[in-house]
Amino acid sequence: MRYRAVIFDLDGVVCYTDEYHYLAWKALADKLGVPFDRAFNDRLRGVSRRESLRLILERYAGPALAEAQQAALAEEKNALYRRYLHQMTSADLPAEVKSTLDALRARGLKLAIGSSSKNAPLILERVGLGDFFDAVADGSCITRSKPDPEVFLKAAAMLGERPRDCLVVEDAVSGAKAGHTGGFAVACVGAAARAGAGDHNFRSVTDLVEILE
Ligand code: B16
Ligand code: MG
């Protein structure tokens, strides 16, 4: 299959900010007395901040929380998460990601980001990719997060490409579903690859180079 563009998820694909999401949600869950482990964390991948909080609060045994209290908890998690982001540098862009992005660009493919995160511009800036991508669709330009395909459809439209000509790269089962619902082929790494959610399930992003000749 010949693709014209590749749309990358950000957290857990381009860089390992998924670990910072985990640490920040874990700290909040511990404070609330909610059981939280890595398997449960996988359910939050690709899902918006408020939907992630909703999933955590399903396990909360305390009294019902008002909307303002929930908004404050989401903000507390985000502040903690952003403290990790501000410590990132270009050293946090994995070498295999950098070499893969450069190889795909050299082949003339258009490259975009399709992320549920409202922190995407900050992350891209921190790791030195602020100006790299041809299009960035993120949590600030969508109304529905993954598994809805909106963010990938936005990225494809920004690139001027049809979904069937784009390959989506994801680490989240929700993101793989979003890609398939939108009419995209999907390559998975990490948790989504282990779940067999993609058309291709890879151990590393470098494997992309072989299917994108
Ligand atoms: P924020 P992705 C997603 O990013 C994360 O996987 C998910 O854990 C997070 O809740 C969501 O972004 C919203 O992020 O709180 O930074 O706006 O994987 O789609 O790049
Ligand atoms: Mg992700």
Side-chain angles (χ1 to χ4, degrees):
M1 173 75 198
R2 181 90 175 93
Y3 298 102
R4 293 172 53 82
V6 185
I7 304 173
F8 289 88
D9 168 60
L10 181 59
D11 299 318
V13 170
V14 171
C15 51
Y16 301 129
T17 40
D18 52 331
E19 182 65 13
Y20 302 147
H21 277 297
Y22 166 75
L23 292 171
W25 282 127
K26 171 95 176 104
L28 192 77
D30 286 351
K31 194 177 124 177
L32 294 169
V34 167
F36 191 92
D37 58 16
R38 288 189 181 270
F40 183 70
N41 181 65
D42 280 346
R43 291 177 54 197
L44 312 185
R45 289 177 186 273
V47 171
S48 72
R49 198 180 309 157
R50 285 307 296 268
E51 177 62 10
S52 298
L53 179 65
R54 195 189 66 72
L55 291 170
I56 288 170
L57 291 179
E58 276 181 357
R59 300 177 148 203
Y60 178 56
L65 297 173
E67 164 58 28
Q69 290 171 299
Q70 294 190 29
L73 288 175
E75 189 42 49
E76 186 178 331
K77 180 268 175 179
N78 193 46
L80 187 49
Y81 176 60
R82 284 174 68 92
R83 252 185 263 157
Y84 290 112
L85 299 186
H86 281 291
Q87 289 167 22
M88 293 178 83
T89 68
S90 55
D92 291 297
L93 180 64
E96 70 269 20
V97 172
K98 178 83 181 96
S99 65
T100 300
L101 290 173
D102 289 341
L104 301 186
R105 163 115 329 140
R107 286 175 192 183
L109 286 151
K110 294 182 187 174
L111 304 176
I113 289 289
S115 168
S116 298
S117 177
K118 292 183 175 156
N119 290 298
L122 170 62
I123 297 167
L124 292 172
E125 197 62 45
R126 295 303 307 173
V127 300
L129 291 176
D131 296 325
F132 181 84
F133 289 95
D134 301 305
V136 175
D138 64 23
S140 310
C141 54
I142 54 172
T143 54
R144 300 174 299 279
S145 84
K146 301 164 187 174
D148 191 284
E150 184 180 9
V151 77
F152 294 133
L153 293 172
K154 277 253 159 77
M158 286 178 187
L159 293 174
E161 299 293 347
R162 298 172 299 188
R164 66 172 187 236
D165 294 324
C166 305
L167 179 68
V168 161
V169 187
E170 261 292 348
D171 72 313
V173 172
S174 65
K177 274 189 197 143
H180 284 143
T181 303
F184 299 85
V186 180
C188 288
V189 293
R194 288 192 291 278
D199 302 293
H200 309 276
N201 295 290
F202 292 142
R203 294 187 63 172
S204 162
V205 287
T206 55
D207 296 329
L208 285 170
V209 178
E210 281 163 38
I211 63 161
L212 293 165
E213 302 286 0

